[in-house]
Amino acid sequence: MNKYQRIILVIMVCFSVFSAEARELNFPVPQTVSPEWQKLIAAQPAPYWNTHPANIQEWKEWISNFNKGAVKGLSELREQLGVTAVQSKMGGVPVWILTPKDLPEVNRDRVLLNLHGGGYVLGAGEAGMQEAVLMAGIGKFKVVYADYRMAPDFPYPAAVDDAMTVYRELLKTTPAEKIGVFGTSTGGGMTLILALRAKTENLPLPAALAAGTPWTDMSKTGDTYFTNEGVDNILVSYDGWVGDAARLYAGKHDLKDPMLSPVYGDVSGFPPTILTSGTRDLFLSNTVRMHFKLREAGVPADLIVFEGISHAHYHMSPKAPETKFYFTELERFFERNLQ
Amino acid sequence: MNKYQRIILVIMVCFSVFSAEARELNFPVPQTVSPEWQKLIAAQPAPYWNTHPANIQEWKEWISNFNKGAVKGLSELREQLGVTAVQSKMGGVPVWILTPKDLPEVNRDRVLLNLHGGGYVLGAGEAGMQEAVLMAGIGKFKVVYADYRMAPDFPYPAAVDDAMTVYRELLKTTPAEKIGVFGTSTGGGMTLILALRAKTENLPLPAALAAGTPWTDMSKTGDTYFTNEGVDNILVSYDGWVGDAARLYAGKHDLKDPMLSPVYGDVSGFPPTILTSGTRDLFLSNTVRMHFKLREAGVPADLIVFEGISHAHYHMSPKAPETKFYFTELERFFERNLQ
């Protein structure tokens, strides 16, 4: 083979590799969604998706960098939406109490507990707060944002232990009928796990749950882990940082333990639940499998799947009309189901 | 380049083409669904998906062959489920009246109108009846199955004209509050179009609509026309027979006319609606875009997305537990919303 033929071969090999890749990632951006969402959908895959920290130190550095980026714009957003954030502790767990300036009378004695996302590694401090701010600001609810402990320093079950501590503290002042719990991704999974734990601990269950694209199966089980791999531009693949984070938090525990993967739990008696995902979401199966399980158990379970979006996009563009729609849907949902 | 190098090049080219293909089609079959559904999901793409009849004669031959296959097993299914089918006419439109042997007292004066699927070309005669039989047999409702006219002989608006004729006939004996309408795919689209038409004709709207993976956008608009292309093993691609059928039925009419693509219609005042799809469904976007539109308009709209399945799989395996679940959900939905 001469030099030119070798070059042609190299080009062919590249083509064979990248054509498959291109087919996954170069879908047209739907023109029926808002310009703001089109921008999210058109974005390149998150630059950090294939991060694989080799040790605890590398995890901490990566987490710290991510969190620094995530807090940017948060205080502006709170200001725009007229949300005040007061730092406090509940049962020793750091929390922020978010209050909209125009809290409706009917919501004065109601409270929503927010569990943020981030794969049990990201979102510490304020970094996971955007969804909570939008819910307080658009939905006009008082939101308690729990800054629960995470891996690598605090593996399973620290995160849910902290969520339960805050929930138990809330129950001291607010009846369960006036408490809702919500969260996205890991926070959506934790929302469902909190209800499972409340059952096992014979606590009254929250009146309503909103689990956005919840991580209901931490093992690589679920159709869209495969069909939406490379289609989702946020998580991109289970085999990126996501799977590593699962193993880091779970340690030696079975990834299919219901306290890690609530889709395997007993959801009978759950309160009304609303679940949300997108057509490109890597966690679409995590969402719809849970929805099916809840409906099978007779739980009133509602589902929204947004056109074109990837994992958790729905709270990433505060000014998009669909984002406003989403939080208005949550507002109506809690309004209907909280006493 | 010598002979062997040429062979290598051909192999590379094939690899580059088929690797992209393989990546689309060889996703693992989810093990969390029933064995019956696993079989549907594992099936090769429908052998006829890329049929492109060149003229009316070829259309008719293809349609006739398809329909012959589709009626197989139908009379057995009716027998198993204790459903009797009586042929009749309503306003000149051929119909079958399907009655379960154990019709509950509460459903005696209620009726469901079924509009079958098939891209406005397939399913004539009994060929589109499976869903209607399952609804009558599992859901225990009286079902009127409308054998509406279709392309190529009867293009737009013949199909919906016939559906409207049957609906108007039903209104003569049954108040709208006791009528539900349901259908899958084209039949799901027609279910929604019927409600739009009823509005323009100042007819009372049906009490409830069930639109399974509805064809709400006949133009190639919708994210999963792209992201689920080759992932769905029933329709496979808009660029197969589906797009041809759209143009055959629509003729010179704009594919985005709401009477063809109801997602562009004014759905305010619609009755409660339930929509269904699957994670691999080519029409997942058709389904969720409509769901979003209904919710935006304040219509109580429910959504089910099944794990792993392609277009309309949910009524193709009558004995699967998820199939039973689906028709039980529809039963509950109509039970709740019909007077």
Side-chain angles (χ1 to χ4, degrees):
Chain A
M1 225 185 271
N2 67 25
K3 193 178 150 189
Y4 298 105
Q5 290 167 346
R6 260 185 248 131
I7 290 169
I8 290 171
L9 262 186
V10 168
I11 292 170
M12 298 299 307
V13 170
C14 289
F15 179 73
S16 76
V17 171
F18 288 110
S19 70
E21 197 64 16
R23 194 163 179 191
E24 297 283 340
L25 301 175
N26 286 340
F27 300 113
V29 175
Q31 302 297 300
T32 58
V33 303
S34 69
E36 293 91 339
W37 275 29
Q38 287 182 37
K39 208 172 148 191
L40 293 174
I41 296 168
Q44 289 300 305
Y48 53 83
W49 77 265
N50 208 12
T51 301
H52 297 280
N55 52 50
I56 300 299
Q57 189 50 36
E58 283 188 26
W59 271 108
K60 290 190 174 178
E61 278 166 25
W62 179 65
I63 291 166
S64 165
N65 280 331
F66 180 95
N67 287 348
K68 267 178 212 152
V71 295
K72 277 179 198 157
L74 263 181
S75 64
E76 262 182 330
L77 184 66
R78 285 194 298 259
E79 210 163 304
Q80 277 161 20
L81 294 172
V83 173
T84 55
V86 175
Q87 221 170 336
S88 178
K89 285 208 170 192
M90 292 183 75
V93 178
V95 299
W96 267 264
I97 317 285
L98 305 178
T99 314
K101 66 166 183 277
D102 43 2
L103 183 69
E105 185 63 38
V106 66
N107 286 345
R108 292 275 152 94
D109 57 354
R110 292 164 163 176
V111 66
L112 302 182
L113 170 58
N114 174 244
L115 303 168
H116 68 78
Y120 293 106
V121 291
L122 304 173
E126 290 180 79
M129 199 187 282
Q130 177 147 318
E131 188 186 18
V133 174
L134 291 168
M135 189 67 222
I138 300 174
K140 309 293 177 203
F141 273 91
K142 190 167 75 183
V143 175
V144 172
Y145 166 84
D147 181 18
Y148 56 81
R149 289 169 300 160
M150 289 184 285
D153 285 340
F154 302 100
Y156 172 84
V160 185
D161 280 352
D162 285 359
M164 289 307 294
T165 298
V166 175
Y167 182 59
R168 261 185 247 103
E169 288 298 309
L170 287 173
L171 284 173
K172 290 180 184 170
T173 57
T174 310
E177 294 75 25
K178 292 178 183 288
I179 303 176
V181 183
F182 74 106
T184 282
S185 190
T186 297
M190 286 176 71
T191 296
L192 299 158
I193 294 167
L194 180 144
L196 289 173
R197 275 275 294 262
K199 278 177 66 175
T200 63
E201 298 182 14
N202 289 316
L203 291 170
L205 268 64
L209 308 174
T213 180
W215 205 3
T216 66
D217 198 329
M218 287 181 80
S219 73
K220 196 179 177 181
T221 306
D223 199 43
T224 59
Y225 278 140
F226 302 91
T227 58
N228 275 345
E229 185 171 42
V231 177
D232 181 304
N233 66 5
I234 294 293
L235 298 177
V236 184
S237 168
Y238 182 91
D239 301 328
W241 70 271
V242 175
D244 286 15
R247 286 178 290 271
L248 186 72
Y249 175 69
K252 287 176 182 165
H253 297 275
D254 183 359
L255 288 176
K256 294 191 178 182
D257 185 312
M259 293 297 146
L260 290 162
S261 295
V263 78
Y264 300 106
D266 169 15
V267 298
S268 59
F270 262 41
T273 303
I274 187 167
L275 302 109
T276 305
S277 185
T279 61
R280 298 195 187 190
D281 187 355
L282 193 74
F283 283 13
L284 175 59
S285 286
N286 274 324
T287 309
V288 305
R289 288 175 64 208
M290 194 74 210
H291 182 245
F292 178 76
K293 194 179 167 99
L294 290 163
R295 298 273 281 230
E296 252 195 327
V299 175
D302 202 0
L303 175 67
I304 295 173
V305 177
F306 283 110
E307 168 75 343
I309 61 166
S310 296
H311 187 67
H313 266 158
Y314 57 77
H315 72 61
M316 293 184 187
S317 188
K319 290 187 178 166
E322 297 96 333
T323 304
K324 181 137 198 262
F325 168 84
Y326 176 66
F327 287 98
T328 307
E329 284 281 306
L330 287 199
E331 176 191 358
R332 285 190 200 127
F333 169 76
F334 284 121
E335 176 54 42
R336 262 199 315 277
N337 292 300
L338 262 56
Q339 203 189 66
Chain B
M1 226 184 272
N2 67 27
K3 192 178 150 191
Y4 297 106
Q5 289 167 345
R6 261 185 247 131
I7 290 171
I8 289 172
L9 264 184
V10 168
I11 290 171
M12 298 299 307
V13 171
C14 289
F15 179 71
S16 78
V17 171
F18 287 110
S19 69
E21 198 63 15
R23 196 165 178 188
E24 297 285 340
L25 301 174
N26 285 338
F27 300 114
V29 175
Q31 302 297 300
T32 58
V33 304
S34 68
E36 293 90 341
W37 275 28
Q38 287 182 37
K39 209 173 148 190
L40 293 173
I41 297 168
Q44 289 300 304
Y48 53 83
W49 78 265
N50 208 13
T51 300
H52 297 279
N55 52 50
I56 302 298
Q57 190 50 35
E58 282 188 31
W59 272 108
K60 290 190 175 179
E61 278 165 24
W62 179 64
I63 290 167
S64 165
N65 280 332
F66 179 95
N67 287 348
K68 267 179 212 152
V71 295
K72 278 181 197 156
L74 261 182
S75 65
E76 261 183 332
L77 185 66
R78 286 195 297 260
E79 209 162 305
Q80 279 161 19
L81 294 172
V83 173
T84 57
V86 176
Q87 221 170 336
S88 179
K89 285 206 172 195
M90 293 183 73
V93 178
V95 299
W96 267 264
I97 318 283
L98 305 178
T99 314
K101 67 165 182 277
D102 42 1
L103 183 69
E105 186 61 38
V106 67
N107 286 345
R108 291 274 154 94
D109 57 353
R110 292 164 162 175
V111 65
L112 302 182
L113 170 58
N114 175 245
L115 303 168
H116 67 76
Y120 293 106
V121 291
L122 305 173
E126 290 180 79
M129 198 187 283
Q130 177 148 319
E131 188 186 19
V133 174
L134 291 168
M135 190 66 221
I138 300 174
K140 309 293 178 204
F141 273 90
K142 190 167 73 181
V143 175
V144 172
Y145 166 85
D147 181 18
Y148 57 82
R149 288 169 300 159
M150 288 184 286
D153 285 339
F154 302 99
Y156 172 83
V160 184
D161 281 351
D162 285 359
M164 289 307 294
T165 298
V166 176
Y167 181 59
R168 263 185 246 104
E169 288 298 308
L170 287 174
L171 285 174
K172 290 179 184 170
T173 56
T174 310
E177 294 75 26
K178 291 178 183 288
I179 302 176
V181 184
F182 74 106
T184 282
S185 190
T186 296
M190 288 177 69
T191 296
L192 299 158
I193 294 166
L194 181 143
L196 290 173
R197 275 275 294 262
K199 277 178 65 174
T200 64
E201 298 183 15
N202 289 315
L203 291 171
L205 269 64
L209 308 173
T213 181
W215 205 2
T216 65
D217 197 330
M218 287 181 79
S219 73
K220 196 178 176 181
T221 306
D223 199 44
T224 59
Y225 278 140
F226 302 91
T227 57
N228 276 345
E229 185 172 41
V231 176
D232 181 303
N233 65 5
I234 294 294
L235 299 177
V236 184
S237 169
Y238 181 90
D239 300 329
W241 71 270
V242 176
D244 286 14
R247 287 179 289 271
L248 186 73
Y249 175 69
K252 287 175 183 167
H253 297 275
D254 182 359
L255 289 176
K256 293 191 179 183
D257 186 312
M259 292 297 146
L260 291 162
S261 295
V263 78
Y264 300 106
D266 168 13
V267 298
S268 59
F270 263 40
T273 302
I274 186 168
L275 301 109
T276 305
S277 185
T279 61
R280 297 195 187 190
D281 187 354
L282 194 73
F283 282 14
L284 175 59
S285 287
N286 275 324
T287 309
V288 305
R289 287 174 64 208
M290 193 74 211
H291 181 244
F292 178 75
K293 194 179 167 100
L294 290 163
R295 298 273 283 229
E296 252 193 328
V299 175
D302 202 1
L303 175 67
I304 294 173
V305 178
F306 282 112
E307 168 75 343
I309 62 166
S310 297
H311 187 66
H313 266 158
Y314 59 76
H315 73 63
M316 293 185 187
S317 187
K319 290 188 177 165
E322 295 96 335
T323 304
K324 181 137 199 262
F325 168 84
Y326 176 65
F327 287 96
T328 306
E329 284 281 306
L330 287 200
E331 177 193 356
R332 285 190 200 128
F333 169 75
F334 284 120
E335 176 54 42
R336 262 198 314 277
N337 292 300
L338 263 54
Q339 198 187 71

